[in-house]
Amino acid sequence: GDKAFAQFLTDEIKEEKKIQKHKSLPKVSGGWELEVHGTEAKLVRKVAGEKITVTFNINNSIPPSAEEETQEEQKPDEQEPDLTSTPNFVVEVIKDDTKQTLVLDCHYPEDEVGHEGEEESDIFTIREVSFQPTGESDWKDTNYTLNTDSLDWALYDHLMDFLADRGVDNTFADELIELSTALEHQEYIKFLEDLKTFVKCQ
């Protein structure tokens, strides 16, 4: 059984490498520096007395519904649909002269497809906003967290503009999907390779 499994993995790895779009990770425009630790990625950018970091994790970042619908309609010889990774991401804005960090929790809405008609529709939304003490790794649940569900839309628009002024806009969100998808695929291939080594190990 293990031999067949290893052979299957070898073929699978070959296939995945064939469809791999990016041999190296795509860059995000606008002077963002990328740090990757396993499945977590961090983009950092410094602008006039501020440091902006965007953190996301590729685990569970591929929406599940996409696969189920297409399998029934798929003809056997069709290419599998491209899986896209749309992770939640957290934007932290740190101003040099305050002890507080503004934290904005953003995500890609699942029903994002089909908005073609609407011009200027944002491809990501802000879900929560809070202040956290700068430099502390553990966030306090006791800090007030603003949920945007019931938020005054004018305030929400200002928050979106605030992010856009710092380079977090639709273009950025598009490039983040691209980066995250490439990173997810890279990790998936690495996982298959590790699995193969593990299965072959006597």
Side-chain angles (χ1 to χ4, degrees), residues 142-157:
T142 49
N143 286 11
Y144 178 75
T145 301
L146 175 69
N147 191 311
T148 56
D149 287 346
S150 51
L151 198 58
D152 175 333
W153 61 267
L155 175 53
Y156 181 83
D157 281 348

Side-chain angles (χ1 to χ4, degrees), residues 39-59:
T39 58
E40 189 177 82
K42 189 187 247 182
L43 290 157
V44 184
R45 178 174 189 235
K46 294 189 170 74
V47 237
E50 291 183 359
K51 177 179 169 190
I52 296 110
T53 67
V54 178
T55 315
F56 65 92
N57 195 317
I58 58 167
N59 279 338

Side-chain angles (χ1 to χ4, degrees), residues 34-119:
L34 173 66
E35 302 166 22
V36 180
H37 306 284
T39 58
E40 189 177 82
K42 189 187 247 182
L43 290 157
V44 184
R45 178 174 189 235
K46 294 189 170 74
V47 237
E50 291 183 359
K51 177 179 169 190
I52 296 110
T53 67
V54 178
T55 315
F56 65 92
N57 195 317
I58 58 167
N59 279 338
N60 306 321
S61 64
I62 292 179
S65 56
E67 295 164 39
E68 291 154 23
E69 291 159 25
T70 45
Q71 266 164 357
E72 286 141 38
E73 304 152 23
Q74 234 178 330
K75 300 180 184 55
D77 52 342
E78 270 182 40
Q79 267 291 298
E80 279 182 31
D82 284 347
L83 293 179
T84 332
S85 159
T86 49
N88 298 346
F89 59 96
V90 175
V91 183
E92 293 172 62
V93 180
I94 302 161
K95 287 189 188 269
D96 289 350
D97 46 6
T98 68
K99 297 278 175 282
Q100 289 194 312
T101 299
L102 182 66
V103 179
L104 302 103
D105 193 344
C106 303
H107 75 143
Y108 294 97
E110 266 146 43
D111 53 357
E112 186 214 310
V113 197
H115 282 328
E116 268 64 50
E118 297 174 32
E119 271 313 294

Side-chain angles (χ1 to χ4, degrees), residues 1-9 196 198-202:
D2 284 4
K3 235 192 213 95
F5 191 10
Q7 186 50 52
F8 167 78
L9 287 167
K196 187 176 98 176
F198 186 84
V199 169
K200 284 169 92 165
C201 194
Q202 293 305 324

